[in-house]
mmCIF file of all heavy atoms in Angstrom:
data_model
loop_
_atom_site.group_PDB
_atom_site.id
_atom_site.type_symbol
_atom_site.label_atom_id
_atom_site.label_comp_id
_atom_site.label_asym_id
_atom_site.label_seq_id
_atom_site.Cartn_x
_atom_site.Cartn_y
_atom_site.Cartn_z
ATOM 1 N N LEU A 87 6.716 -3.678 -14.147
ATOM 2 C CA LEU A 87 7.871 -4.223 -14.857
ATOM 3 C C LEU A 87 7.514 -5.496 -15.627
ATOM 4 O O LEU A 87 8.280 -5.948 -16.473
ATOM 5 C CB LEU A 87 9.015 -4.506 -13.888
ATOM 6 C CG LEU A 87 9.636 -3.275 -13.229
ATOM 7 C CD1 LEU A 87 10.617 -3.682 -12.161
ATOM 8 C CD2 LEU A 87 10.299 -2.397 -14.264
ATOM 9 N N MET A 88 6.356 -6.067 -15.347
ATOM 10 C CA MET A 88 5.922 -7.276 -16.039
ATOM 11 C C MET A 88 5.153 -6.963 -17.322
ATOM 12 O O MET A 88 4.826 -7.863 -18.085
ATOM 13 C CB MET A 88 5.066 -8.130 -15.098
ATOM 14 C CG MET A 88 5.825 -8.558 -13.845
ATOM 15 S SD MET A 88 4.817 -9.509 -12.728
ATOM 16 C CE MET A 88 4.972 -11.102 -13.491
ATOM 17 N N ILE A 89 4.853 -5.680 -17.569
ATOM 18 C CA ILE A 89 4.145 -5.295 -18.788
ATOM 19 C C ILE A 89 5.082 -5.487 -19.971
ATOM 20 O O ILE A 89 6.249 -5.087 -19.906
ATOM 21 C CB ILE A 89 3.683 -3.822 -18.702
ATOM 22 C CG1 ILE A 89 2.731 -3.637 -17.518
ATOM 23 C CG2 ILE A 89 3.021 -3.381 -20.002
ATOM 24 C CD1 ILE A 89 2.368 -2.197 -17.243
ATOM 25 N N PRO A 90 4.617 -6.096 -21.056
ATOM 26 C CA PRO A 90 5.488 -6.282 -22.228
ATOM 27 C C PRO A 90 5.989 -4.935 -22.751
ATOM 28 O O PRO A 90 5.229 -3.967 -22.800
ATOM 29 C CB PRO A 90 4.581 -6.964 -23.257
ATOM 30 C CG PRO A 90 3.454 -7.528 -22.471
ATOM 31 C CD PRO A 90 3.291 -6.681 -21.261
ATOM 32 N N PRO A 91 7.266 -4.859 -23.149
ATOM 33 C CA PRO A 91 7.836 -3.591 -23.613
ATOM 34 C C PRO A 91 7.060 -2.945 -24.754
ATOM 35 O O PRO A 91 6.967 -1.725 -24.825
ATOM 36 C CB PRO A 91 9.243 -3.969 -24.055
ATOM 37 C CG PRO A 91 9.565 -5.209 -23.309
ATOM 38 C CD PRO A 91 8.268 -5.924 -23.111
ATOM 39 N N ALA A 92 6.482 -3.747 -25.629
ATOM 40 C CA ALA A 92 5.767 -3.186 -26.776
ATOM 41 C C ALA A 92 4.525 -2.405 -26.352
ATOM 42 O O ALA A 92 4.040 -1.551 -27.091
ATOM 43 C CB ALA A 92 5.363 -4.302 -27.729
ATOM 44 N N ARG A 93 4.013 -2.667 -25.166
ATOM 45 C CA ARG A 93 2.794 -1.998 -24.705
ATOM 46 C C ARG A 93 3.078 -0.719 -23.925
ATOM 47 O O ARG A 93 2.146 -0.004 -23.566
ATOM 48 C CB ARG A 93 1.972 -2.939 -23.833
ATOM 49 C CG ARG A 93 1.418 -4.112 -24.600
ATOM 50 C CD ARG A 93 0.442 -4.861 -23.735
ATOM 51 N NE ARG A 93 -0.186 -5.912 -24.475
ATOM 52 C CZ ARG A 93 -1.369 -5.801 -25.068
ATOM 53 N NH1 ARG A 93 -2.024 -4.683 -25.010
ATOM 54 N NH2 ARG A 93 -1.873 -6.811 -25.721
ATOM 55 N N LEU A 94 4.333 -0.471 -23.615
ATOM 56 C CA LEU A 94 4.676 0.704 -22.817
ATOM 57 C C LEU A 94 5.151 1.846 -23.700
ATOM 58 O O LEU A 94 5.969 1.647 -24.590
ATOM 59 C CB LEU A 94 5.793 0.357 -21.826
ATOM 60 C CG LEU A 94 5.383 -0.442 -20.614
ATOM 61 C CD1 LEU A 94 6.608 -0.883 -19.846
ATOM 62 C CD2 LEU A 94 4.463 0.357 -19.717
ATOM 63 N N PRO A 95 4.657 3.064 -23.449
ATOM 64 C CA PRO A 95 5.196 4.219 -24.177
ATOM 65 C C PRO A 95 6.601 4.550 -23.671
ATOM 66 O O PRO A 95 7.020 4.076 -22.623
ATOM 67 C CB PRO A 95 4.213 5.342 -23.835
ATOM 68 C CG PRO A 95 3.596 4.922 -22.552
ATOM 69 C CD PRO A 95 3.603 3.419 -22.529
ATOM 70 N N ARG A 96 7.304 5.373 -24.387
ATOM 71 C CA ARG A 96 8.673 5.681 -24.022
ATOM 72 C C ARG A 96 8.905 7.182 -23.876
ATOM 73 O O ARG A 96 10.014 7.630 -23.746
ATOM 74 C CB ARG A 96 9.592 5.064 -25.105
ATOM 75 C CG ARG A 96 11.040 5.349 -25.008
ATOM 76 C CD ARG A 96 11.650 4.734 -23.747
ATOM 77 N NE ARG A 96 13.033 5.150 -23.619
ATOM 78 C CZ ARG A 96 13.471 6.009 -22.731
ATOM 79 N NH1 ARG A 96 12.666 6.548 -21.883
ATOM 80 N NH2 ARG A 96 14.732 6.342 -22.689
ATOM 81 N N GLN A 97 7.857 7.999 -23.909
ATOM 82 C CA GLN A 97 8.010 9.447 -23.880
ATOM 83 C C GLN A 97 8.492 9.925 -22.504
ATOM 84 O O GLN A 97 7.985 9.501 -21.468
ATOM 85 C CB GLN A 97 6.677 10.146 -24.194
ATOM 86 C CG GLN A 97 6.223 9.963 -25.620
ATOM 87 C CD GLN A 97 5.461 8.668 -25.842
ATOM 88 O OE1 GLN A 97 5.108 7.993 -24.889
ATOM 89 N NE2 GLN A 97 5.244 8.317 -27.097
ATOM 90 N N GLU A 98 9.483 10.834 -22.535
ATOM 91 C CA GLU A 98 10.016 11.394 -21.293
ATOM 92 C C GLU A 98 8.944 12.123 -20.500
ATOM 93 O O GLU A 98 8.956 12.100 -19.275
ATOM 94 C CB GLU A 98 11.168 12.366 -21.584
ATOM 95 C CG GLU A 98 12.497 11.720 -21.851
ATOM 96 C CD GLU A 98 12.996 10.840 -20.713
ATOM 97 O OE1 GLU A 98 12.953 11.259 -19.544
ATOM 98 O OE2 GLU A 98 13.438 9.733 -21.006
ATOM 99 N N ALA A 99 8.008 12.780 -21.189
ATOM 100 C CA ALA A 99 6.959 13.529 -20.487
ATOM 101 C C ALA A 99 6.104 12.591 -19.637
ATOM 102 O O ALA A 99 5.742 12.915 -18.502
ATOM 103 C CB ALA A 99 6.094 14.283 -21.484
ATOM 104 N N LEU A 100 5.786 11.412 -20.175
ATOM 105 C CA LEU A 100 4.991 10.450 -19.408
ATOM 106 C C LEU A 100 5.774 9.891 -18.220
ATOM 107 O O LEU A 100 5.218 9.686 -17.137
ATOM 108 C CB LEU A 100 4.531 9.306 -20.314
ATOM 109 C CG LEU A 100 3.405 9.638 -21.270
ATOM 110 C CD1 LEU A 100 3.119 8.463 -22.189
ATOM 111 C CD2 LEU A 100 2.155 10.026 -20.514
ATOM 112 N N ILE A 101 7.061 9.655 -18.421
ATOM 113 C CA ILE A 101 7.901 9.162 -17.332
ATOM 114 C C ILE A 101 7.940 10.199 -16.210
ATOM 115 O O ILE A 101 7.725 9.882 -15.032
ATOM 116 C CB ILE A 101 9.324 8.840 -17.829
ATOM 117 C CG1 ILE A 101 9.281 7.681 -18.829
ATOM 118 C CG2 ILE A 101 10.247 8.510 -16.657
ATOM 119 C CD1 ILE A 101 10.589 7.414 -19.537
ATOM 120 N N ALA A 102 8.173 11.457 -16.578
ATOM 121 C CA ALA A 102 8.220 12.532 -15.573
ATOM 122 C C ALA A 102 6.872 12.700 -14.886
ATOM 123 O O ALA A 102 6.808 12.908 -13.669
ATOM 124 C CB ALA A 102 8.648 13.836 -16.228
ATOM 125 N N ALA A 103 5.777 12.588 -15.649
ATOM 126 C CA ALA A 103 4.442 12.731 -15.059
ATOM 127 C C ALA A 103 4.162 11.613 -14.057
ATOM 128 O O ALA A 103 3.617 11.865 -12.975
ATOM 129 C CB ALA A 103 3.384 12.737 -16.154
#
Side-chain angles (χ1 to χ4, degrees):
L87 294 172
M88 300 178 83
I89 299 172
R93 293 189 175 264
L94 284 171
R96 175 65 186 108
Q97 292 85 10
E98 280 302 313
L100 285 175
I101 295 171

